[in-house]
Amino acid sequence: MALRAVHVSRRKIAILCLLGVFLLFLSYFLYVPPDIQFDQANEGPLSGEEPIHIFIPTPATQLIGMMALINSIRQNTEAQLKFHLLTDTQESADHITTWMSNSVLHDVDKDIIVFNASWIEGKFKVPKWEHRQKAFSQALPFARYFIPKFLSPDYEGRAVYLDDDIIVQGDIRELAWTKMKEYQFAALSPDCNAVTRAFSLKTSSYGSYVNLNSPHLRRVKIPWHACKLNSGVIVVDVGKWKRWKITDKLLYWTELNKEEVIYYYGADQAPIMIVCFNRFKAINPLWHVRDLGWSNGDKYSSSLVYNQARLLHWNGERKPWKFPARRASDIWRKYYVPDSS
């Protein structure tokens, strides 16, 4: 009798344990921090003469993506635009000039900037566990840390940062004037709101990217399962960025990671995740439909990709100019700008 009671008791414990694990996983997938709220309201001018400052960094190997992105933005807005095009060499800068001068982009208002790598050289290391070391060993991805430096010293408005593997299908003014609260200095996309969250526990949480056991990070009080941020699309309040010394804060974590393990992946992205924690506005998901370079886009409906999405992002290895047969690549081709230089 006693043995039977023990057996039943163990069975109950096993069932309770399985139920606990199930509830843990369920809460992980359903977890959305209270700050992640989307609204359609904008707080800035959707018309007028103030230009929208757009930053696009591109190495010499991906200029084709930059050109299509610029073309997509200009075709879908009537706003005044100012592009700040960052690249890694003078040769690449000259190529951008020639490419645009001999194309439909000849009249685009732009600055072409060779990023000063000395601003970041010696201040970062490629994380030991970073798989794509070649991509992250370049200084150019860190250019977004210095956005205010490329603008007039008295400029206090908005700036938009975009990766070069993006196509914009909506009016960029909607993104640029995303409504932010007083304590928020940037707008980004939390990856727990992307479809990829259902495919990978690891890549959607802070705990998989940063070392939350570090005494320095314990003070930031980041929950392990908080949604990591995708920094391929960023809206910046430049005035707050300067007043709150965001560039210095980003460089602090970058340099500290040389002395101890602060983050495991993302040499340039992880400091942005740390500094932005609890101080960012979540971008409306339609303004960052991403992961098209990892999947074939079949996890999104055709209606979403072709009719509703305002911004498409081919983050991942399979860029639309390299894999033209992939789903949604026809959207990218619509904005393709031939190089006649």
Short mmCIF file of all heavy atoms in Angstrom, two decimals, residues 42-91:
data_model
loop_
_atom_site.label_atom_id
_atom_site.label_comp_id
_atom_site.label_asym_id
_atom_site.label_seq_id
_atom_site.Cartn_x
_atom_site.Cartn_y
_atom_site.Cartn_z
N ASN A 42 1.58 60.04 -34.81
CA ASN A 42 2.88 60.66 -35.06
C ASN A 42 2.91 61.98 -34.31
O ASN A 42 1.88 62.60 -34.06
CB ASN A 42 3.09 60.90 -36.55
CG ASN A 42 3.00 59.61 -37.33
OD1 ASN A 42 1.97 59.30 -37.91
ND2 ASN A 42 4.06 58.84 -37.34
N GLU A 43 4.11 62.42 -33.94
CA GLU A 43 4.21 63.64 -33.16
C GLU A 43 4.94 64.75 -33.90
O GLU A 43 5.20 65.81 -33.33
CB GLU A 43 4.91 63.37 -31.84
CG GLU A 43 6.35 62.87 -31.98
CD GLU A 43 6.98 62.55 -30.63
OE1 GLU A 43 6.30 62.75 -29.61
OE2 GLU A 43 8.14 62.14 -30.60
N GLY A 44 5.30 64.54 -35.14
CA GLY A 44 6.03 65.56 -35.89
C GLY A 44 5.33 65.92 -37.17
O GLY A 44 4.25 65.42 -37.47
N PRO A 45 5.94 66.79 -37.94
CA PRO A 45 5.31 67.24 -39.18
C PRO A 45 5.28 66.16 -40.25
O PRO A 45 6.29 65.51 -40.51
CB PRO A 45 6.20 68.41 -39.62
CG PRO A 45 7.53 68.10 -39.03
CD PRO A 45 7.26 67.40 -37.74
N LEU A 46 4.13 65.91 -40.84
CA LEU A 46 4.02 65.02 -41.99
C LEU A 46 4.01 65.83 -43.28
O LEU A 46 3.80 65.31 -44.36
CB LEU A 46 2.76 64.16 -41.88
CG LEU A 46 2.78 63.13 -40.75
CD1 LEU A 46 1.52 62.31 -40.78
CD2 LEU A 46 4.00 62.24 -40.83
N SER A 47 4.22 67.11 -43.16
CA SER A 47 4.37 67.98 -44.32
C SER A 47 5.26 69.13 -43.91
O SER A 47 5.61 69.27 -42.74
CB SER A 47 3.00 68.50 -44.78
OG SER A 47 2.40 69.26 -43.76
N GLY A 48 5.65 69.97 -44.84
CA GLY A 48 6.50 71.10 -44.50
C GLY A 48 7.87 70.97 -45.11
O GLY A 48 8.16 70.06 -45.87
N GLU A 49 8.76 71.89 -44.71
CA GLU A 49 10.06 72.01 -45.36
C GLU A 49 11.20 71.32 -44.63
O GLU A 49 12.30 71.24 -45.14
CB GLU A 49 10.40 73.51 -45.53
CG GLU A 49 9.43 74.27 -46.43
CD GLU A 49 9.32 73.64 -47.80
OE1 GLU A 49 10.38 73.29 -48.39
OE2 GLU A 49 8.19 73.47 -48.29
N GLU A 50 10.95 70.87 -43.41
CA GLU A 50 12.05 70.24 -42.66
C GLU A 50 12.42 68.91 -43.30
O GLU A 50 11.58 68.02 -43.45
CB GLU A 50 11.63 70.02 -41.21
CG GLU A 50 12.76 69.43 -40.38
CD GLU A 50 12.39 69.30 -38.91
OE1 GLU A 50 11.36 69.88 -38.50
OE2 GLU A 50 13.12 68.61 -38.18
N PRO A 51 13.70 68.74 -43.70
CA PRO A 51 14.08 67.49 -44.36
C PRO A 51 14.16 66.33 -43.38
O PRO A 51 14.40 66.53 -42.19
CB PRO A 51 15.46 67.81 -44.94
CG PRO A 51 16.02 68.86 -44.03
CD PRO A 51 14.82 69.69 -43.60
N ILE A 52 13.95 65.15 -43.89
CA ILE A 52 14.14 63.94 -43.09
C ILE A 52 15.56 63.44 -43.35
O ILE A 52 15.94 63.19 -44.49
CB ILE A 52 13.12 62.86 -43.48
CG1 ILE A 52 11.70 63.36 -43.17
CG2 ILE A 52 13.39 61.56 -42.74
CD1 ILE A 52 10.61 62.43 -43.63
N HIS A 53 16.32 63.31 -42.29
CA HIS A 53 17.72 62.87 -42.40
C HIS A 53 17.76 61.34 -42.33
O HIS A 53 17.31 60.74 -41.35
CB HIS A 53 18.56 63.48 -41.28
CG HIS A 53 18.72 64.96 -41.40
ND1 HIS A 53 19.75 65.53 -42.13
CD2 HIS A 53 17.97 66.00 -40.92
CE1 HIS A 53 19.64 66.85 -42.08
NE2 HIS A 53 18.57 67.16 -41.36
N ILE A 54 18.31 60.73 -43.37
CA ILE A 54 18.34 59.28 -43.48
C ILE A 54 19.78 58.81 -43.63
O ILE A 54 20.50 59.25 -44.52
CB ILE A 54 17.51 58.81 -44.69
CG1 ILE A 54 16.07 59.30 -44.57
CG2 ILE A 54 17.55 57.28 -44.82
CD1 ILE A 54 15.24 59.12 -45.82
N PHE A 55 20.20 57.90 -42.74
CA PHE A 55 21.55 57.37 -42.72
C PHE A 55 21.56 55.94 -43.26
O PHE A 55 20.80 55.09 -42.78
CB PHE A 55 22.13 57.40 -41.31
CG PHE A 55 22.46 58.78 -40.82
CD1 PHE A 55 21.47 59.61 -40.33
CD2 PHE A 55 23.76 59.26 -40.87
CE1 PHE A 55 21.78 60.90 -39.90
CE2 PHE A 55 24.07 60.54 -40.45
CZ PHE A 55 23.08 61.36 -39.95
N ILE A 56 22.42 55.69 -44.24
CA ILE A 56 22.56 54.34 -44.81
C ILE A 56 24.04 54.02 -44.91
O ILE A 56 24.77 54.65 -45.68
CB ILE A 56 21.92 54.24 -46.21
CG1 ILE A 56 20.47 54.75 -46.19
CG2 ILE A 56 21.98 52.80 -46.72
CD1 ILE A 56 19.85 54.86 -47.58
N PRO A 57 24.55 53.05 -44.15
CA PRO A 57 25.94 52.63 -44.28
C PRO A 57 26.05 51.45 -45.24
O PRO A 57 25.23 50.54 -45.19
CB PRO A 57 26.31 52.21 -42.85
CG PRO A 57 25.03 51.67 -42.30
CD PRO A 57 23.90 52.39 -43.00
N THR A 58 27.03 51.48 -46.10
CA THR A 58 27.17 50.41 -47.10
C THR A 58 28.63 50.17 -47.45
O THR A 58 29.32 51.12 -47.84
CB THR A 58 26.42 50.76 -48.40
OG1 THR A 58 25.10 51.17 -48.09
CG2 THR A 58 26.37 49.58 -49.33
N PRO A 59 29.11 48.94 -47.34
CA PRO A 59 30.45 48.63 -47.85
C PRO A 59 30.43 48.56 -49.37
O PRO A 59 29.35 48.51 -49.99
CB PRO A 59 30.74 47.25 -47.24
CG PRO A 59 29.39 46.63 -47.08
CD PRO A 59 28.45 47.76 -46.75
N ALA A 60 31.59 48.55 -49.97
CA ALA A 60 31.69 48.56 -51.44
C ALA A 60 30.95 47.39 -52.08
O ALA A 60 30.44 47.52 -53.20
CB ALA A 60 33.16 48.54 -51.84
N THR A 61 30.84 46.28 -51.38
CA THR A 61 30.25 45.07 -51.96
C THR A 61 28.72 45.12 -52.02
O THR A 61 28.11 44.25 -52.65
CB THR A 61 30.66 43.85 -51.13
OG1 THR A 61 30.31 44.07 -49.76
CG2 THR A 61 32.16 43.60 -51.23
N GLN A 62 28.08 46.10 -51.38
CA GLN A 62 26.62 46.10 -51.33
C GLN A 62 26.01 47.43 -51.78
O GLN A 62 24.88 47.76 -51.42
CB GLN A 62 26.13 45.76 -49.91
CG GLN A 62 26.51 44.37 -49.47
CD GLN A 62 25.67 43.81 -48.33
OE1 GLN A 62 25.74 42.63 -48.04
NE2 GLN A 62 24.86 44.64 -47.69
N LEU A 63 26.72 48.17 -52.62
CA LEU A 63 26.19 49.44 -53.09
C LEU A 63 24.89 49.27 -53.85
O LEU A 63 24.03 50.16 -53.85
CB LEU A 63 27.23 50.14 -53.99
CG LEU A 63 28.55 50.55 -53.32
CD1 LEU A 63 29.43 51.30 -54.33
CD2 LEU A 63 28.29 51.42 -52.10
N ILE A 64 24.72 48.14 -54.50
CA ILE A 64 23.50 47.88 -55.26
C ILE A 64 22.27 47.93 -54.36
O ILE A 64 21.20 48.40 -54.77
CB ILE A 64 23.61 46.51 -55.99
CG1 ILE A 64 22.45 46.33 -56.96
CG2 ILE A 64 23.70 45.36 -55.00
CD1 ILE A 64 22.61 45.09 -57.84
N GLY A 65 22.42 47.47 -53.11
CA GLY A 65 21.32 47.52 -52.16
C GLY A 65 21.00 48.95 -51.75
O GLY A 65 19.82 49.33 -51.65
N MET A 66 22.03 49.73 -51.50
CA MET A 66 21.83 51.14 -51.13
C MET A 66 21.05 51.89 -52.19
O MET A 66 20.13 52.66 -51.88
CB MET A 66 23.18 51.82 -50.90
CG MET A 66 23.09 53.33 -50.73
SD MET A 66 24.72 54.16 -50.77
CE MET A 66 25.26 53.94 -49.10
N MET A 67 21.40 51.68 -53.46
CA MET A 67 20.74 52.42 -54.55
C MET A 67 19.25 52.10 -54.62
O MET A 67 18.41 52.98 -54.80
CB MET A 67 21.42 52.10 -55.88
CG MET A 67 22.89 52.48 -55.93
SD MET A 67 23.15 54.24 -55.59
CE MET A 67 24.91 54.25 -55.25
N ALA A 68 18.90 50.82 -54.51
CA ALA A 68 17.49 50.42 -54.55
C ALA A 68 16.74 51.00 -53.35
O ALA A 68 15.58 51.44 -53.49
CB ALA A 68 17.37 48.90 -54.58
N LEU A 69 17.37 51.01 -52.18
CA LEU A 69 16.74 51.55 -50.99
C LEU A 69 16.44 53.04 -51.16
O LEU A 69 15.33 53.50 -50.88
CB LEU A 69 17.64 51.33 -49.78
CG LEU A 69 17.24 52.03 -48.48
CD1 LEU A 69 15.80 51.69 -48.08
CD2 LEU A 69 18.22 51.67 -47.36
N ILE A 70 17.42 53.81 -51.62
CA ILE A 70 17.21 55.25 -51.84
C ILE A 70 16.06 55.46 -52.82
O ILE A 70 15.18 56.31 -52.61
CB ILE A 70 18.50 55.91 -52.38
CG1 ILE A 70 19.62 55.83 -51.35
CG2 ILE A 70 18.25 57.35 -52.78
CD1 ILE A 70 20.98 56.24 -51.88
N ASN A 71 16.06 54.68 -53.89
CA ASN A 71 15.03 54.82 -54.92
C ASN A 71 13.64 54.52 -54.35
O ASN A 71 12.66 55.20 -54.67
CB ASN A 71 15.34 53.89 -56.09
CG ASN A 71 14.58 54.25 -57.35
OD1 ASN A 71 14.18 55.40 -57.55
ND2 ASN A 71 14.35 53.27 -58.21
N SER A 72 13.55 53.51 -53.50
CA SER A 72 12.25 53.15 -52.92
C SER A 72 11.74 54.25 -51.98
O SER A 72 10.54 54.54 -51.95
CB SER A 72 12.34 51.82 -52.17
OG SER A 72 13.10 51.93 -50.98
N ILE A 73 12.63 54.86 -51.22
CA ILE A 73 12.21 55.91 -50.30
C ILE A 73 11.69 57.12 -51.06
O ILE A 73 10.62 57.65 -50.77
CB ILE A 73 13.39 56.33 -49.38
CG1 ILE A 73 13.79 55.17 -48.48
CG2 ILE A 73 13.01 57.55 -48.55
CD1 ILE A 73 15.09 55.41 -47.71
N ARG A 74 12.44 57.55 -52.08
CA ARG A 74 12.07 58.77 -52.80
C ARG A 74 10.79 58.59 -53.62
O ARG A 74 10.04 59.54 -53.82
CB ARG A 74 13.22 59.23 -53.70
CG ARG A 74 13.57 58.28 -54.80
CD ARG A 74 14.86 58.70 -55.52
NE ARG A 74 14.65 59.79 -56.44
CZ ARG A 74 14.22 59.65 -57.70
NH1 ARG A 74 13.92 58.44 -58.16
NH2 ARG A 74 14.06 60.68 -58.48
N GLN A 75 10.54 57.36 -54.08
CA GLN A 75 9.34 57.13 -54.89
C GLN A 75 8.06 57.08 -54.06
O GLN A 75 6.97 57.23 -54.61
CB GLN A 75 9.47 55.82 -55.67
CG GLN A 75 10.40 55.90 -56.87
CD GLN A 75 10.21 54.71 -57.80
OE1 GLN A 75 9.11 54.21 -57.99
NE2 GLN A 75 11.32 54.25 -58.39
N ASN A 76 8.20 56.90 -52.76
CA ASN A 76 7.01 56.70 -51.92
C ASN A 76 6.75 57.83 -50.93
O ASN A 76 6.02 57.64 -49.95
CB ASN A 76 7.13 55.36 -51.17
CG ASN A 76 6.99 54.17 -52.10
OD1 ASN A 76 5.94 53.98 -52.71
ND2 ASN A 76 8.05 53.39 -52.24
N THR A 77 7.36 58.98 -51.16
CA THR A 77 7.09 60.13 -50.30
C THR A 77 7.21 61.42 -51.09
O THR A 77 7.90 61.47 -52.12
CB THR A 77 8.07 60.17 -49.11
OG1 THR A 77 7.67 61.21 -48.20
CG2 THR A 77 9.50 60.44 -49.56
N GLU A 78 6.56 62.45 -50.59
CA GLU A 78 6.72 63.78 -51.14
C GLU A 78 7.56 64.66 -50.21
O GLU A 78 7.73 65.85 -50.44
CB GLU A 78 5.34 64.43 -51.37
CG GLU A 78 4.51 63.70 -52.42
CD GLU A 78 3.15 64.35 -52.62
OE1 GLU A 78 2.86 65.34 -51.91
OE2 GLU A 78 2.39 63.88 -53.48
N ALA A 79 8.10 64.05 -49.16
CA ALA A 79 8.87 64.80 -48.17
C ALA A 79 10.22 65.23 -48.74
O ALA A 79 10.76 64.59 -49.65
CB ALA A 79 9.09 63.94 -46.93
N GLN A 80 10.76 66.28 -48.15
CA GLN A 80 12.12 66.67 -48.46
C GLN A 80 13.06 65.70 -47.74
O GLN A 80 12.90 65.45 -46.55
CB GLN A 80 12.38 68.10 -48.00
CG GLN A 80 13.75 68.64 -48.37
CD GLN A 80 13.95 70.07 -47.89
OE1 GLN A 80 12.99 70.74 -47.51
NE2 GLN A 80 15.19 70.52 -47.90
N LEU A 81 14.02 65.18 -48.46
CA LEU A 81 14.92 64.15 -47.92
C LEU A 81 16.37 64.61 -47.95
O LEU A 81 16.80 65.29 -48.87
CB LEU A 81 14.79 62.85 -48.72
CG LEU A 81 13.38 62.27 -48.88
CD1 LEU A 81 13.40 61.12 -49.89
CD2 LEU A 81 12.83 61.80 -47.54
N LYS A 82 17.11 64.19 -46.95
CA LYS A 82 18.55 64.41 -46.93
C LYS A 82 19.21 63.09 -46.57
O LYS A 82 19.04 62.57 -45.47
CB LYS A 82 18.94 65.47 -45.90
CG LYS A 82 20.44 65.69 -45.75
CD LYS A 82 21.03 66.39 -46.96
CE LYS A 82 22.51 66.71 -46.74
NZ LYS A 82 23.07 67.50 -47.85
N PHE A 83 19.93 62.51 -47.54
CA PHE A 83 20.58 61.22 -47.32
C PHE A 83 22.03 61.43 -46.87
O PHE A 83 22.75 62.27 -47.42
CB PHE A 83 20.56 60.39 -48.61
CG PHE A 83 19.20 59.88 -48.98
CD1 PHE A 83 18.39 60.59 -49.85
CD2 PHE A 83 18.72 58.69 -48.45
CE1 PHE A 83 17.12 60.13 -50.21
CE2 PHE A 83 17.47 58.21 -48.79
CZ PHE A 83 16.66 58.94 -49.67
N HIS A 84 22.42 60.62 -45.89
CA HIS A 84 23.81 60.60 -45.42
C HIS A 84 24.33 59.19 -45.70
O HIS A 84 23.96 58.24 -45.01
CB HIS A 84 23.87 60.93 -43.94
CG HIS A 84 23.21 62.25 -43.60
ND1 HIS A 84 23.90 63.44 -43.59
CD2 HIS A 84 21.92 62.53 -43.29
CE1 HIS A 84 23.06 64.42 -43.27
NE2 HIS A 84 21.86 63.89 -43.10
N LEU A 85 25.11 59.06 -46.74
CA LEU A 85 25.55 57.75 -47.24
C LEU A 85 26.97 57.48 -46.76
O LEU A 85 27.91 58.16 -47.16
CB LEU A 85 25.46 57.74 -48.77
CG LEU A 85 24.11 58.21 -49.35
CD1 LEU A 85 24.14 58.22 -50.87
CD2 LEU A 85 22.96 57.35 -48.82
N LEU A 86 27.08 56.47 -45.92
CA LEU A 86 28.37 56.15 -45.30
C LEU A 86 28.96 54.91 -45.95
O LEU A 86 28.26 53.91 -46.16
CB LEU A 86 28.19 55.92 -43.80
CG LEU A 86 27.72 57.15 -43.04
CD1 LEU A 86 26.45 56.84 -42.30
CD2 LEU A 86 28.79 57.63 -42.09
N THR A 87 30.25 54.96 -46.22
CA THR A 87 30.91 53.80 -46.80
C THR A 87 32.32 53.69 -46.23
O THR A 87 32.73 54.49 -45.38
CB THR A 87 30.91 53.89 -48.34
OG1 THR A 87 31.32 52.63 -48.88
CG2 THR A 87 31.80 55.02 -48.85
N ASP A 88 33.08 52.67 -46.68
CA ASP A 88 34.32 52.34 -46.01
C ASP A 88 35.59 52.83 -46.71
O ASP A 88 36.65 52.88 -46.08
CB ASP A 88 34.41 50.83 -45.77
CG ASP A 88 33.99 50.01 -46.97
OD1 ASP A 88 33.72 50.61 -48.05
OD2 ASP A 88 33.92 48.78 -46.86
N THR A 89 35.54 53.17 -47.98
CA THR A 89 36.74 53.60 -48.70
C THR A 89 36.42 54.78 -49.62
O THR A 89 35.26 54.96 -50.02
CB THR A 89 37.33 52.46 -49.56
OG1 THR A 89 36.40 52.15 -50.62
CG2 THR A 89 37.61 51.21 -48.73
N GLN A 90 37.44 55.53 -49.98
CA GLN A 90 37.24 56.64 -50.92
C GLN A 90 36.84 56.11 -52.29
O GLN A 90 36.03 56.73 -53.00
CB GLN A 90 38.52 57.47 -51.04
CG GLN A 90 38.37 58.73 -51.88
CD GLN A 90 37.28 59.65 -51.34
OE1 GLN A 90 37.26 60.00 -50.17
NE2 GLN A 90 36.34 60.04 -52.21
N GLU A 91 37.37 54.97 -52.67
CA GLU A 91 37.00 54.36 -53.95
C GLU A 91 35.51 54.06 -53.99
O GLU A 91 34.83 54.30 -55.01
CB GLU A 91 37.81 53.09 -54.17
CG GLU A 91 37.54 52.41 -55.50
CD GLU A 91 38.34 51.13 -55.68
OE1 GLU A 91 39.10 50.75 -54.77
OE2 GLU A 91 38.20 50.50 -56.75
#
